[in-house]
């Protein structure tokens, strides 16, 4: 199956003339051809909530910086306001990343989706970053607003030279019935469900202009099915997790009972129940239209984005054998970039787009500080 698939994908790629996306650092012709056929760079640089190491996550500072560094994709977690507007926010609650406790003390614990867009727009989504990371703080981050999907699309389109794609996660989709349909409507309205015809005609579309300009991602099997129904021609990734909402774990010991000092140490020892359980998720993904998977990784230095090691070489080979790509989340250190690439992944979600681009020896036009200042931050 892999050999036959590889030849077909390579032939398809050559016939489609999709030689324009980067392949630096990647060697496997089958996966390279698959990525090319979908217009997805390989290895892909996916800016997780924007350039969120250097600027407050999911704000204009983070997304314009990621774009202007040359990241391939702007990643976001999609939610819907009380009055039906799609916006980007990772957490269910507004407490961690906004001043909701000050502005709406009675409703501070309510989900973000219980607020209208006008209410969300009154919140300061930047100051928390200055307090959490004083060494990266900037006065210009104070007061940065939450962004709508429309505004992130404007950012993605806003630089004539750099055109990143959008890598959109349906966040907590069971909270948002019809989210997949609303997303389809918005992307269609903005012309983002088709490649940019003029760029295609020239033969070398930038990522945000080509067939892979939108990537859809979800942890939720039902949401994958709905995304496939709504947008059958848009590439999709099934995100992988062990435990609640994900693969059955090898043990049912809770974090509280585990004796581990932090969640990262606990997650690092958690594994899928067995090989069959892992494979079952791949087969579900493939059968429901996913062109790849998004596994987690255990980070060398731990931290709050260090999860399960789901990028062991056999796991990546199993995805590749099924004709699927592997985009791992969320790595920031060169030691982890190397481990992941050596294990065979095809792209990396990162909070530090500048570091990952440098690791891949891709040009970064200016420093992070210069680009932030150029963009008014
Ligand atoms: O979407 C990939 C990665 O972002 C998943 O983790 O929790 O950061 O959305 P999370
Ligand atoms: Ca995400």
């Amino acid at each position: 199956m892999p050999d036959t698939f590889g030849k077909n994908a390579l032939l398809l790629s050559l016939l489609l003339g999709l030689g324009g996306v980067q392949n630096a650092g990647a060697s496997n012709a089958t996966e390279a051809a698959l990525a090319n056929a979908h217009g997805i760079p390989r290895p892909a640089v996916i800016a997780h909530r924007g350039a969120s190491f250097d600027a407050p996550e999911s704000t204009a500072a983070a997304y314009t910086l990621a774009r202007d560094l040359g990241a391939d994709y702007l990643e976001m977690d999609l939610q819907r306001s009380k009055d039906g507007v799609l916006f980007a926010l990772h957490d269910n609650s507004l407490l961690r990343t906004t001043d909701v406790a000050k502005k709406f003390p009675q409703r501070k614990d309510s989900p973000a989706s219980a607020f209208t867009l006008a209410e969300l727009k009154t919140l300061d989504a930047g100051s928390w970053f200055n307090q959490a990371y004083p060494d990266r703080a900037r006065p210009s981050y104070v007061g940065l607003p939450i962004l709508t999907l429309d505004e992130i699309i404007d950012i993605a389109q806003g630089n004539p030279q750099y055109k990143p794609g959008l890598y959109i996660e349906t966040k907590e989709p069971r909270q948002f019935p019809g989210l997949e349909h609303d997303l389809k409507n918005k992307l269609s309205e903005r012309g983002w469900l088709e490649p940019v015809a003029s760029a295609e005609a020239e033969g070398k579309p930038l990522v945000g202009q080509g067939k892979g300009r939108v990537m859809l991602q979800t942890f939720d099997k039902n949401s994958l099915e709905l995304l496939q129904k709504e947008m059958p021609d848009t590439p999709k990734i099934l995100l992988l997790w062990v435990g609640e909402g994900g693969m059955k774990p090898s043990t049912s010991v809770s974090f509280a009972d585990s004796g581990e000092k932090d969640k990262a140490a606990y997650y690092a020892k958690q594994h899928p129940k067995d090989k069959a359980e892992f494979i079952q998720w791949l087969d579900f993904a493939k059968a429901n239209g996913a062109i790849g998977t998004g596994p987690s990784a255990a980070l060398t230095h731990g931290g709050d984005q260090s999860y399960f090691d789901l990028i062991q070489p056999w796991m990546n080979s199993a995805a590749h054998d099924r004709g699927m790509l592997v985009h791992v989340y969320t790595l920031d250190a060169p030691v982890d970039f190397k481990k992941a690439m050596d294990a065979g992944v095809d792209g990396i979600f990162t909070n530090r787009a500048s570091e990952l681009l440098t690791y891949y020896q891709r040009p970064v036009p200016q420093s992070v500080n210069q680009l932030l200042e150029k963009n008014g931050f």
Side-chain angles (χ1 to χ4, degrees):
M1 180 174 167
D3 283 345
T4 306
F5 177 85
K7 282 175 193 151
N8 288 343
L10 189 57
L11 184 60
L12 178 63
S13 173
L14 293 171
L15 285 171
L16 293 173
L18 290 167
V21 289
Q22 299 92 345
N23 287 309
S27 58
N28 190 301
T30 304
E31 286 73 52
L34 174 62
N36 273 343
H38 288 288
I40 302 166
R42 178 177 183 273
V45 175
I46 305 158
H48 184 244
R49 312 178 201 166
S52 58
F53 178 86
D54 295 296
E57 63 188 58
S58 308
T59 65
Y63 284 126
T64 53
L65 176 58
R67 176 197 67 194
D68 295 350
L69 283 164
D72 296 314
Y73 288 100
L74 308 182
E75 195 266 352
M76 75 194 78
D77 306 288
L78 195 70
Q79 303 201 38
R80 188 173 60 203
S81 69
K82 188 178 175 187
D83 51 342
V85 181
L86 300 179
F87 68 94
L89 185 78
H90 177 267
D91 298 5
N92 192 37
S93 156
L94 292 155
L95 274 171
R96 181 178 63 90
T97 58
T98 78
D99 58 348
V100 67
K102 193 169 93 187
K103 302 244 175 71
F104 298 95
Q106 309 297 323
R107 298 163 64 200
K108 66 181 170 57
D109 297 313
S110 299
S113 55
F115 292 76
T116 65
L117 181 67
E119 289 170 337
L120 292 170
K121 281 290 188 183
T122 66
L123 298 174
D124 171 357
S127 289
W128 74 272
F129 182 94
N130 288 352
Q131 285 149 25
Y133 308 109
D135 53 325
R136 285 168 254 156
R138 287 174 177 260
S140 57
Y141 292 163
V142 174
L144 286 178
I146 285 173
L147 296 178
T148 63
L149 173 57
D150 257 324
E151 290 167 329
I152 300 171
I153 291 174
D154 291 341
I155 289 171
Q157 297 178 159
N159 183 326
Q161 201 180 348
Y162 293 97
K163 301 280 185 200
L166 303 172
Y167 210 119
I168 306 172
E169 180 182 349
T170 51
K171 182 59 75 181
E172 305 285 348
R174 284 164 204 270
Q175 233 190 82
F176 300 109
L179 185 71
E180 296 81 4
H181 184 69
D182 292 351
L183 176 58
K184 190 267 291 281
N185 286 346
K186 176 54 68 183
L187 291 171
S188 175
E189 174 195 318
R190 294 298 304 261
W192 269 71
L193 287 182
E194 303 289 337
V196 176
S198 55
E200 285 272 294
E202 286 174 19
K204 282 200 174 180
L206 300 170
V207 180
Q209 299 173 318
K211 289 174 63 176
R213 66 195 306 211
V214 174
M215 294 283 297
L216 302 170
Q217 45 159 343
T218 184
F219 283 103
D220 187 291
K221 287 180 170 178
N222 183 57
S223 189
L224 176 64
E225 292 176 299
L226 293 170
L227 289 168
Q228 177 66 2
K229 180 166 160 268
E230 295 288 346
M231 293 169 273
D233 299 326
T234 303
K236 292 163 208 80
I237 290 279
L238 182 63
L239 298 167
L240 303 181
W241 182 260
V242 178
E244 192 180 345
M247 296 178 206
K248 291 192 192 79
S250 54
T251 71
S252 53
V253 179
S254 68
F255 171 57
D257 293 337
S258 68
E260 294 296 345
K261 61 181 185 331
D262 60 33
K263 282 245 171 113
Y266 170 70
Y267 287 142
K269 291 184 181 159
Q270 292 281 97
H271 305 285
K273 180 166 159 280
D274 50 29
K275 190 171 177 182
E277 175 67 8
F278 185 83
I279 298 294
Q280 184 264 326
W281 277 71
L282 300 192
D283 288 339
F284 178 91
K286 178 82 178 172
N288 288 280
I291 60 99
T293 60
S296 61
L299 306 183
T300 303
H301 303 300
D304 62 3
Q305 291 179 15
S306 183
Y307 306 116
F308 322 94
D309 177 6
L310 298 178
I311 54 166
Q312 295 169 44
W314 74 265
M315 296 171 164
N316 300 329
S317 294
H320 291 159
D321 287 349
R322 285 160 177 75
M324 289 194 290
L325 299 174
V326 178
H327 289 170
V328 59
Y329 66 94
T330 302
L331 315 182
D332 289 346
V335 62
D336 290 318
F337 301 155
K338 179 169 184 347
K339 278 187 193 170
M341 293 308 295
D342 287 349
V345 308
D346 305 293
I348 296 178
F349 291 78
T350 183
N351 303 302
R352 303 193 73 170
S354 59
E355 296 284 328
L356 183 55
L357 288 160
T358 301
Y359 179 79
Y360 287 147
Q361 300 182 328
R362 286 173 53 179
V364 172
Q366 288 179 286
S367 72
V368 163
N369 282 342
Q370 286 170 326
L371 291 170
L372 282 168
E373 279 167 26
K374 179 175 79 69
N375 288 329
F377 300 105

